[in-house]
């Protein structure tokens, strides 16, 4: 069922009298997910070793991560612009290692994001004008192979990898060009990445991850992703699953208010097409953008929770959905705080816990969706 903005806000009006935030009761999200054969977890950022401030150094944040999450995802720490910032001969794992150590200490799984963010904007500066020499295809293939093998060998505990991230251009559904694909071809670099990852991480779920969404305006993006997945199948590329980033809610535009308009039939057809090709699904970067909603916390939080519950119920109705990953657990640490500001310039409330480390209705919506999900 699709809920209108009016319905969502009306549903929140009564809960506005519910009182202050409450401590999470009952099973953790980790436990609720595990009972259904699902992994629940969150992305987490880490500063350099020895840092004394920041989200990862926040003791109360760490307590929530340890209790609620069965898997952790380095938010940016394995992206090229972090791990290979200093140049093609260097790898920097200090920040990612800190997350891996925390996960091990708390009996949590680890998943990798991302081996190649195949978007020209998100490579380190040294790639601009990089000279691959007289045999560019061979040299680029060697660089891709070395990169993936190095990361997979350092973190053999990864249960899944976003092998390729965001290579489909939402404007027309085409595959983006990067310095790697310029050297060796678009399909060639993507296929090579998955084949190398399969050899280097044979037990991990290999994922293509992207932000095509259910709202109006994503039609070309969804078409491009389907075309990409069809190509992988035809060529025998070892892709196990589609990661659906799930940054749902308001559109990412300065002028937008309210929530986006879900295309219910089209979105269901998209999910059916993906699973019909034999792919699993992951909810990989879940949060709810509340940019255009009223300031009052009661109605706003209830509207966010209702919108999220409808989305999660549908995603979890597919037994192919094996992982659900929040993109942050605490409002003040969300990446959305610095993007597409609210008109009132007030902080957003896009995650499961508020700035006082108290669970919000969104956390309870996640719990309810996990409880209602069929077992995998």
């Amino acid at each position: 069922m699709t809920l209108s903005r009016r319905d969502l806000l009306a549903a929140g009006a009564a809960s506005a009298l519910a009182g202050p935030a409450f401590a999470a009761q009952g099973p953790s999200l980790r436990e609720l997910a595990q009972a259904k054969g699902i992994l629940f977890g969150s992305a987490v950022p880490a500063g350099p070793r020895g840092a004394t401030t920041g989200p990862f150094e926040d003791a109360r944040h760490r307590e929530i991560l340890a209790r609620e999450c069965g898997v952790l995802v380095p938010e940016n720490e394995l992206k090229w612009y972090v791990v290979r910032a200093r140049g093609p001969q260097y790898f920097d794992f200090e920040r990612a290692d800190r997350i891996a150590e925390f996960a091990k200490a708390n009996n949590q799984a680890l998943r990798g994001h991302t081996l190649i963010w195949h978007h020209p904007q998100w490579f380190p500066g040294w790639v601009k004008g990089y000279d691959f020499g007289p045999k560019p295809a061979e040299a680029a293939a060697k660089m891709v192979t070395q990169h993936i093998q190095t990361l997979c060998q350092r973190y053999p505990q990864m249960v899944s990898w976003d092998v390729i991230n965001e290579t489909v251009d939402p404007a027309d559904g085409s595959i983006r060009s990067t310095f790697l694909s310029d050297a060796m071809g678009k399909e060639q670099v993507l296929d090579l990445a998955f084949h190398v990852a399969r050899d280097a991480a044979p037990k991990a779920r290999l994922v293509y991850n992207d932000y095509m969404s259910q709202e109006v305006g994503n039609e070309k993006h969804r078409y491009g992703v389907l075309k990409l997945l069809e190509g992988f199948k035809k060529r025998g590329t070892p892709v196990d699953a589609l990661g659906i980033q799930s940054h749902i809610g308001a559109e990412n535009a300065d002028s937008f208010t309210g929530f986006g308009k879900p295309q219910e039939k089209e979105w269901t057809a998209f999910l059916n097409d993906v699973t019909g090709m034999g792919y699993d699904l992951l909810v990989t970067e879940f949060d709810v953008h509340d940019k255009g909603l009223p300031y009052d916390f009661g109605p706003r939080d209830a509207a966010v929770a209702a919108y999220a519950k409808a989305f999660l119920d549908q995603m979890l109705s597919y037994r192919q959905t094996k992982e659900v990953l929040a993109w942050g657990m605490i409002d003040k640490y969300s990446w959305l705080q610095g993007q597409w500001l609210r008109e009132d310039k007030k902080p957003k409330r896009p995650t499961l816990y508020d700035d006082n480390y108290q669970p919000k209705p969104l956390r309870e919506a996640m719990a309810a969706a996990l409880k209602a999900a069929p077992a995998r």
Side-chain angles (χ1 to χ4, degrees), residues 1 59 61 86 121 137 139 175 203 211 229 231 288 296 311 320 345 350 359 369:
M1 178 181 68
H61 182 202
R86 292 190 294 155
Q121 182 178 352
I175 298 174
K203 296 182 180 179
Y211 58 91
L229 295 176
V288 186
D296 290 347
F311 174 82
Q320 292 91 338
K345 304 298 188 292

Side-chain angles (χ1 to χ4, degrees), residues 185-257:
K186 294 179 179 179
E187 288 82 4
Q188 287 84 350
V189 68
L190 304 181
D191 290 351
L192 176 65
F194 278 102
H195 281 290
V196 174
R198 176 62 83 217
D199 289 340
K203 296 182 180 179
R205 183 178 295 113
L206 304 185
V207 181
Y208 174 68
N209 191 55
D210 213 329
Y211 58 91
M212 68 283 124
S213 190
Q214 62 179 343
E215 289 87 9
V216 171
N218 283 266
E219 296 85 354
K220 291 180 180 179
H221 200 173
R222 293 193 296 261
Y223 170 79
V225 169
L226 286 178
K227 186 177 179 181
L228 179 72
L229 295 176
E230 288 171 354
F232 286 148
K233 280 293 178 185
K234 290 178 181 178
R235 298 191 300 273
T237 310
V239 182
D240 298 319
L242 173 66
I244 295 172
Q245 290 186 9
S246 308
H247 297 297
I248 63 174
E251 292 180 7
N252 294 335
D254 290 334
S255 61
F256 192 78
T257 59

Side-chain angles (χ1 to χ4, degrees), residues 11-57:
S15 69
L17 302 176
F22 46 90
Q25 301 293 326
S28 66
L29 296 175
R30 172 182 187 164
E31 292 166 334
L32 292 173
Q34 186 177 14
K36 298 301 177 70
I38 301 167
L39 271 174
F40 173 81
S42 177
V44 57
R49 192 175 298 277
T52 58
T53 61
F56 198 62
E57 288 64 46

Side-chain angles (χ1 to χ4, degrees), residues 349-376:
R349 294 172 64 82
T351 71
L352 281 66
Y353 281 75
D354 67 17
D355 290 352
N356 294 317
Y357 310 92
Q358 295 300 303
K360 292 154 48 189
L362 182 56
R363 191 266 180 198
E364 300 313 306
M366 177 68 74
L370 290 169
K371 289 177 183 176
R376 311 295 97 161

Side-chain angles (χ1 to χ4, degrees), residues 1 3-19 22 248-249 259 286 288-290 293-312 331 342 349-352 354 359-366 368:
M1 178 181 68
L3 298 173
S4 70
R5 179 171 179 265
R6 178 180 296 178
D7 292 335
L8 293 170
L9 294 178
S15 69
L17 302 176
F22 46 90
I248 63 174
F259 282 141
F286 176 80
V288 186
H289 195 184
D290 63 338
L293 299 187
Y295 173 77
D296 290 347
F297 288 178
R300 190 184 353 165
D301 288 351
V304 164
Y307 192 83
K309 180 65 162 50
F311 174 82
L312 291 168
D331 285 338
R342 288 174 55 88
R349 294 172 64 82
T351 71
L352 281 66
D354 67 17
K360 292 154 48 189
L362 182 56
R363 191 266 180 198
E364 300 313 306
M366 177 68 74

